[in-house]
Amino acid sequence: MREHIDIVAENLGKTFSNGTKHLIAIENVAIEVGRGKLFCIVGPSGCGKSTLLRLLIGLLEPTTGKVILDLDRRNKGIAYVQQTASLLPWRTVLQNALLGAELKGPLNSTIVERIKNGIREYGLAGFEQSMPPELSGGMRQKVDIIRAIESRPKILFCDEPFSAIDFVTRLELSTRFKKMCRVHGITTVFVTHNIEEAIFLGDEIVVMSGRPGRIISKYIPALSIGSEDAVKCRESPEFSDLFFKIWKDLGNENSLSH
Amino acid sequence: MRIASHTKIIGLQILVLLVLILIWEGMGRSSSEAFFFIGTPSAVLIELSNLIRFENLHTHFIITGGEAVLGLLIGTIMGSGLGLVLWYSETVARVARPFIIALGTLPVFAFAPLMIVWFGIGFWMKVALATFSTVFVAFSQAHKGATSVASEYVDTLLGMDASRHQIFVKVIIPGSLDWVLSSMRLNVGFALLGAFIGEFIAADRGLGYLILRASGLYNIPRALAAAVGITVLALILDGTARYIERHRHSLIQWLSVPKAIWHN
């Protein structure tokens, strides 16, 4: 593993087999994610983004190739936010938010206070004792994000974590999320089908083709305005340039001209 | 559709019970043959009073209750424990399953003579039979619960690099608890049956013994009075199991959440 590289995937492929049927989900994927970088994967629905993420985490065994995570960083903590919030229904909001920290070792009052603050900052004050079924989908997703971020992981995997959240809240959350990743030096792999989200968040963006998923292009966004603000960044001329490039990569040239 | 109020339902249930008792009383009094075969509710009440006053019914009640409760507890702990632990290895679970199912299909009666050889004819033989009657249901329900816990919960913890043991404690045990508790309620009847069968085979005390002795003397009202004791026992055990089910959240907290954040 090269210095300052936390995640390496080489020639990665995954084929799902069911009897005589074989489905190639992704093939020949190679990526490198630098330390503390936000790495976004963009692609159409069903292109294998989530499969790629699960391969990187180790939840799936690759059919070809391999994934290497920096062992030291992995041992210091990883976290995973799924597309739909997977809060444990028998735990309160606070207990769910504390789960990541709880797995790392004994809890103390400093950690509990830190996570209570996180809950307040995400606009969930007063819901600490609520059970997950009492929350809306967006609120549950926020708790899932708090659980991941506040466990202070060194590597974070996110699978479209803002997809269930309304547009305005999503912009606020994206800004906060990017700031937290920067402040704590978290290496993040962020899967999304939202091009604008990827442009704002990503230090690097890879675009995947439809199934079987392959990487068809890579971009390094350099926003001249508002690179730390999900709203202001839209004033940046590079934002729309990159948007249209990725849009074309995804095969939407014709629909654009209409 | 309108649903009748709770009070109205209870009122109707009492009415049905009174009608049945009256019919029974009438039929029992219609002839001496009828009285011999079915007795009457009033005769059952008199026998119940006699059992309490002269036969120490409470002692028999406690003995049968003790056998059933211990059998239920041991069966639930052993069966559920094994069913949950087998989550760790799908291979071991698949190897063990046919053996456990085969043992579970054996009727309790078939094992009764062996239980006498192993445990004698005393209290522990009945406990063993009650355990045998409950352990397989507890096992299969707990294992089913453990394997049907939503995979996204497990994935979330795997995504945080949790160990197998942490996943077991934080997700599998609490996620299976509903299955374990419902099997315990189901097993109340089986535990009583096991204890009862044990008392039928060899006993000098217990509610089963009272029923057997009264039946041997063709004293049907007395046998039915002892059976009332069994019903009361079943209701108490079922009520206790329901109480635990209602308070399962506290049980989950105790089992899987660090004490420091129980009330946070």
Side-chain angles (χ1 to χ4, degrees):
Chain A
M1 181 74 89
R2 290 210 321 270
E3 207 178 348
H4 303 307
I5 299 292
D6 278 355
I7 305 167
V8 174
E10 293 169 356
N11 185 31
L12 206 56
K14 180 66 187 176
T15 303
F16 292 102
S17 299
N18 182 9
T20 53
K21 286 184 183 172
H22 301 287
L23 176 79
I24 304 171
I26 60 164
E27 63 179 12
N28 199 23
V29 169
I31 58 171
E32 274 190 357
V33 184
R35 181 155 304 169
K37 298 292 181 189
L38 246 155
F39 186 91
C40 287
I41 302 170
V42 186
S45 294
C47 74
K49 303 184 297 286
S50 298
T51 302
L52 173 57
L53 196 72
R54 292 171 66 81
L55 285 166
L56 295 176
I57 302 167
L59 294 174
L60 287 175
E61 280 292 316
T63 312
T64 61
K66 62 180 177 181
V67 175
I68 307 167
L69 298 190
D70 184 277
L71 199 61
D72 180 50
R73 299 275 286 175
R74 184 186 183 115
N75 289 340
K76 284 179 180 161
I78 63 170
Y80 172 38
V81 183
Q82 299 187 56
Q83 200 167 359
T84 49
S86 55
L87 303 183
L88 302 180
W90 49 83
R91 283 177 164 241
T92 63
V93 163
L94 180 64
Q95 289 172 349
N96 263 295
L98 278 161
L99 185 63
E102 192 183 313
L103 294 172
K104 282 182 167 178
L107 296 172
N108 56 42
S109 55
T110 316
I111 297 173
V112 175
E113 277 313 308
R114 188 183 80 212
I115 286 173
K116 278 183 177 173
N117 281 336
I119 290 173
R120 276 192 287 276
E121 281 175 21
Y122 278 83
L124 293 174
F127 288 95
E128 291 86 349
Q129 298 308 314
S130 301
M131 302 305 281
E134 297 163 22
L135 306 178
S136 69
M139 290 161 97
R140 282 201 289 268
Q141 202 66 42
K142 282 182 183 180
V143 179
D144 217 355
I145 294 163
I146 298 165
R147 174 168 71 187
I149 293 274
E150 294 299 335
S151 70
R152 298 284 193 266
K154 292 297 172 197
I155 302 175
L156 173 62
F157 299 96
C158 298
D159 190 357
E160 303 191 34
F162 304 143
S163 58
I165 296 170
D166 68 272
F167 184 68
V168 175
T169 314
R170 183 190 290 198
L171 294 177
E172 287 169 19
L173 276 183
S174 302
T175 305
R176 188 185 299 277
F177 179 83
K178 188 171 183 177
K179 185 181 163 194
M180 294 299 279
C181 290
R182 288 268 185 271
V183 169
H184 300 294
I186 303 169
T187 305
T188 307
V189 180
F190 193 102
V191 162
T192 180
H193 60 256
N194 186 321
I195 302 172
E196 294 167 324
E197 197 168 77
I199 295 171
F200 166 63
L201 289 172
D203 291 311
E204 189 174 348
I205 301 170
V206 292
V207 182
M208 286 182 76
S209 65
R211 193 183 300 143
R214 296 188 196 95
I215 290 176
I216 50 173
S217 51
K218 293 185 185 184
Y219 298 99
I220 296 176
L223 304 175
S224 53
I225 303 168
S227 64
E228 301 303 316
D229 187 317
V231 179
K232 278 190 184 162
C233 71
R234 285 151 205 271
E235 292 173 15
S236 173
E238 297 86 2
F239 188 93
S240 51
D241 284 352
L242 191 51
F243 179 90
F244 289 122
K245 279 181 188 166
I246 296 174
W247 180 269
K248 283 177 188 170
D249 288 344
L250 291 172
N252 291 315
E253 289 164 276
N254 295 333
S255 62
L256 193 69
S257 60
H258 292 306
Chain B
M1 197 170 66
R2 259 185 79 232
I3 299 170
S5 71
H6 186 65
T7 323
K8 198 173 175 184
I9 296 282
I10 297 282
L12 282 169
Q13 285 172 337
I14 291 170
L15 187 70
V16 168
L17 185 67
L18 282 174
V19 169
L20 287 175
I21 286 174
L22 280 174
I23 293 172
W24 180 10
E25 185 74 30
M27 284 173 71
R29 285 173 183 268
S30 64
S31 68
S32 55
E33 287 85 0
F35 181 82
F36 177 80
F37 283 112
I38 60 172
T40 58
S42 54
V44 171
L45 270 179
I46 292 165
E47 284 300 334
L48 192 60
S49 156
N50 288 340
L51 282 175
I52 293 167
R53 282 190 296 163
F54 308 118
E55 296 272 358
N56 289 328
L57 179 65
H58 64 280
T59 312
H60 296 283
F61 186 86
I62 289 168
I63 287 166
T64 305
E67 292 158 357
V69 167
L70 275 176
L72 180 63
L73 283 178
I74 298 170
T76 301
I77 291 168
M78 275 173 58
S80 303
L82 187 65
L84 292 175
V85 163
L86 280 186
W87 166 84
Y88 276 98
S89 170
E90 179 59 23
T91 311
V92 177
R94 286 174 70 176
V95 170
R97 200 172 294 140
F99 296 104
I100 291 166
I101 290 171
L103 277 171
T105 52
L106 281 175
V108 187
F109 257 120
F111 258 72
L114 275 179
M115 294 292 177
I116 293 173
V117 174
W118 290 336
F119 298 99
I121 58 166
F123 180 79
W124 291 106
M125 182 267 278
K126 284 87 173 177
V127 173
L129 275 173
T131 303
F132 188 83
S133 307
T134 55
V135 71
F136 300 106
V137 173
F139 166 81
S140 62
Q141 291 292 98
H143 188 60
K144 193 158 187 184
T147 50
S148 52
V149 171
S151 61
E152 60 258 34
Y153 302 149
V154 176
D155 283 352
T156 298
L157 265 78
L158 282 172
M160 295 183 203
D161 236 6
S163 66
R164 295 278 285 171
H165 178 66
Q166 284 176 319
I167 295 171
F168 184 71
V169 174
K170 308 281 177 204
V171 174
I172 301 301
I173 290 180
S176 319
L177 203 67
D178 278 350
W179 290 79
V180 171
L181 294 178
S182 69
S183 81
M184 197 165 81
R185 267 193 81 188
L186 190 69
N187 268 333
V188 164
F190 290 127
L192 277 169
L193 188 70
F196 206 62
I197 287 171
E199 289 177 0
F200 258 51
I201 292 164
D204 57 0
R205 53 206 160 150
L207 294 170
Y209 160 75
L210 282 184
I211 293 175
L212 192 66
R213 200 182 62 178
S215 303
L217 296 168
Y218 299 103
N219 188 344
I220 303 302
R222 174 165 286 211
L224 291 172
V228 170
I230 296 269
T231 309
V232 171
L233 197 53
L235 289 174
I236 292 171
L237 288 180
D238 186 64
T240 310
R242 267 203 288 188
Y243 177 84
I244 297 171
E245 252 187 339
R246 273 203 306 276
H247 292 81
R248 62 182 176 279
H249 181 70
S250 308
L251 194 58
I252 288 174
Q253 295 281 306
W254 181 72
L255 286 169
S256 71
V257 178
K259 198 175 174 184
I261 54 167
W262 278 0
H263 303 294
N264 266 300

